[in-house]
Amino acid sequence: QFLYFIGKCWPMRRLFGPATVFVEPAEISKSLAVAPHCVRFVDVRYAFNDPEYLHREHARVRPAVGHATALARLDHDLADPTPGLCDKGCGRHPLPDPAAFARFCQSRLGIGRGEKDSSVATVVFDDKGGALAAARLWWMLDNLGHETYVLAGGIQAYEASGLPTASGPFDDIFSTAPFESDLNDWPFRRAWTNVASLADLNVGSDSEANTVLVDCRPAPRYASVLRPATVLDRRAGHVSGAINVPFPSNLTPDMATLSSNDANALQRNFASISDSLSSTASPKKDAPIFMCGSGVTACFNIAVARHAGFPVTPRLFAGSWSSFEVACAEKIAAEQKSAYGVAVVEALKLNPDANAPHARELRVSEGDLSALSEVVREKLLQYVRVDDELVVETADGARVTVVGVA
C-alpha cells in the first residue's frame, strides 16, 4: 500500500526524467509494477488515405494495462477539421482551437479533469516509431503542460516486450460517447506557445532572418525542383534559406524506432542547426523554426531534439509547406520558372555526330525551353524521374541528366 501511495503521488516525470520524451516498454513496466494506474495510453496510428486504419489496427492489438487505451485521430482530433482550410492557406493539419482540444482531451482521453489527472502520465504511440500522429499529440499535450511521452518503438515494441495486450471489438467512443467536459477543471495552459507564423519566416524581406528555418521533410521532397516528389505536396520546392534535417534520419531504416539510444548520436543529426545558430558571420537570436509538410513530422524532430538535450526549444510552423505553397503560390511559381529543369533536350544540338549512346549532364534554363521546336520535342521517347533531377532518353539513345538552374 505504501508503494502504491508513492506511485499515485509521484508524477512519472520524476521516474523518467524531465528531458525524457521517448520511453521504452521496460521503463513503463517498472512504473506499472509500482502504480498500476499511473499510465494512460493513447493510440494514434495513422495511414494516409485510409480513414479506418486506426480502428482496424486498434481492434487487432492494443495495450491492456493502466487506464483503458484511448484513440485520437490526426485529421479530426489533432487538427482543425473545418473543410476548406487548406485551400485558404492554413495547411492540411492546422492546429485546432486550444479550448476545443482541451474539451476533446477531457471527454475522450480522460486528460485534464482537475487534480486527479496530475498523477497519471500519458504515453502516446503509433506504428511508425512515433514519427507521425504520436509526435503531433505529444507536442500538443506537452505544449499545454501535460506530462506526456512517446512509446519508443511504437506498438511493435510494446508487443515484443510481453506486456499485456487486448484485441477484438472495443467501444467506439467517437460515435457513442457524449461530448462532456468542463474547462473549469482544465489544469493546463489554454493557448499554444512556441508556434511560428508565416510572417516569422521572413519571406520576401530584404533583411536576413534572425532564426534558422528547418524543413523536416524527406530529402526528395525538400530538394524537388521540377515537380512534387509526392502527392502530399501540390508544388515542388522549399522555403528559400531553409536547411533540411529529414525526420527519417532520426529513425531506423524500417521506421520502427529511434536511430540511436545515444543522445550524442541524435544530437549530431541537428549539427547543421547548431552551426547556423552559432555562426559568427550571422548569429541567430531567435529559436529555430521547424516545419514539414503539414506540421506533423516536424513535431517528431522537435521531440527528438528535446530527448537528445538540444539546448533550445524549437518553434513549430504548424501550417508548414502545405500552408506556404498556397499562401505564397506566386512566389513559388516565379522561383520555379527561373530554375526550371526542363525535360526536353535537343538531341542533335547536344551531339549531332553521335552514333553510340552517351551520357552527360546538361544544365537547362527556362530560356532553353523556349528555343526548342515542336519537331525536336517529338523525338524524345521518355522521361524518367530520379530524385530531384530528370534522366532523359533521347531518340538516338543518349541519356542526359537534366538539372534546373536559374
Side-chain angles (χ1 to χ4, degrees):
Q1 290 180 339
F2 174 74
L3 289 177
Y4 180 76
F5 173 79
I6 292 294
K8 291 291 287 182
C9 298
W10 198 335
M12 289 186 73
R13 60 178 175 271
R14 301 293 296 274
L15 298 177
F16 294 152
T20 299
V21 175
F22 295 86
V23 290
E24 302 288 341
E27 297 176 90
I28 296 173
S29 181
K30 292 178 183 178
S31 298
L32 291 169
V34 176
H37 297 286
C38 67
V39 173
R40 172 195 300 105
F41 285 97
V42 181
D43 187 348
V44 282
R45 281 173 279 189
Y46 175 79
F48 178 68
N49 269 350
D50 187 353
E52 296 303 317
Y53 183 81
L54 172 60
H55 284 70
R56 186 170 64 251
E57 290 300 302
H58 190 76
R60 186 182 65 80
V61 60
R62 57 187 180 273
V65 295
H67 295 261
T69 302
L71 292 81
R73 301 162 296 180
L74 174 61
D75 295 325
H76 294 83
D77 308 316
L78 310 186
D80 189 330
T82 304
L85 289 181
C86 188
D87 292 333
K88 296 178 180 179
C90 298
R92 287 197 312 276
H93 297 114
L95 287 173
D97 175 72
F101 178 67
R103 287 193 292 269
F104 163 75
C105 289
Q106 288 181 324
S107 63
R108 300 296 195 260
L109 306 184
I111 295 174
R113 294 177 175 175
E115 294 181 359
K116 64 182 180 180
D117 180 75
S118 61
S119 61
V120 181
T122 297
V123 177
V124 299
F125 68 90
D126 55 30
D127 53 7
K128 295 295 185 293
L132 297 183
R136 170 71 169 232
L137 180 55
W138 167 82
W139 184 91
M140 294 170 71
L141 290 172
D142 179 82
N143 189 272
L144 296 181
H146 176 60
E147 196 73 18
T148 311
Y149 301 91
V150 178
L151 179 61
I155 189 63
Q156 302 95 319
Y158 183 93
E159 285 187 87
S161 72
L163 284 167
T165 61
S167 61
F170 61 95
D171 292 334
D172 189 350
I173 58 173
F174 296 120
S175 61
T176 61
F179 200 84
E180 297 178 355
S181 65
D182 184 357
L183 290 184
N184 291 326
D185 291 336
W186 182 253
F188 309 116
R189 286 188 289 271
R190 304 188 181 201
W192 306 119
T193 59
N194 287 322
V195 292
S197 66
L198 184 63
D200 293 321
L201 305 188
N202 209 39
V203 175
S205 174
D206 294 333
S207 60
E208 186 173 355
N210 203 28
T211 186
V212 178
L213 180 59
V214 182
D215 192 324
C216 303
R217 292 177 297 166
R221 291 176 65 185
Y222 166 85
S224 61
V225 175
L226 310 179
R227 63 184 109 167
T230 171
V231 296
L232 295 176
D233 298 329
R234 299 183 184 185
R235 301 176 185 274
H238 60 265
V239 180
S240 298
I243 62 176
N244 188 213
V245 181
F247 81 90
S249 67
N250 290 311
L251 288 167
T252 52
D254 58 358
M255 289 188 68
T257 191
L258 290 177
S259 57
S260 174
N261 290 323
D262 179 57
N264 291 328
L266 292 174
Q267 282 189 12
R268 285 194 287 273
N269 289 339
F270 299 99
S272 58
I273 306 175
S274 300
D275 292 344
S276 297
L277 287 172
S278 59
S279 170
T280 55
S282 180
K284 312 298 183 183
K285 297 181 180 179
D286 296 339
I289 297 173
F290 281 28
M291 63 176 290
C292 53
S294 63
V296 177
T297 54
C299 294
F300 175 71
N301 269 6
I302 293 175
V304 175
R306 166 89 67 83
H307 192 76
F310 194 72
V312 181
T313 300
R315 291 175 288 167
L316 173 67
F317 177 32
S320 289
W321 182 253
S322 60
S323 170
F324 184 87
E325 67 181 356
V326 174
C328 300
E330 292 183 2
K331 177 179 175 59
I332 297 172
E335 291 178 350
Q336 289 178 335
K337 185 175 181 180
S338 66
Y340 190 43
V342 63
V344 180
V345 179
E346 188 175 352
L348 296 178
K349 184 177 180 180
L350 289 175
N351 192 345
D353 300 322
N355 296 317
H358 60 281
R360 66 181 63 191
E361 180 177 294
L362 178 71
R363 307 186 74 81
V364 182
S365 69
E366 180 72 5
D368 297 316
L369 172 62
S370 61
L372 299 178
S373 66
E374 290 295 332
V375 175
V376 170
R377 297 181 194 184
E378 291 175 358
K379 292 183 179 181
L380 302 179
L381 299 179
Q382 62 182 6
Y383 312 139
V384 182
R385 178 66 189 270
V386 178
D387 292 332
D388 58 325
E389 302 173 341
L390 286 177
V391 173
V392 180
E393 184 172 344
T394 62
D396 63 353
R399 292 183 65 81
V400 182
T401 300
V402 184
V403 182
V405 296

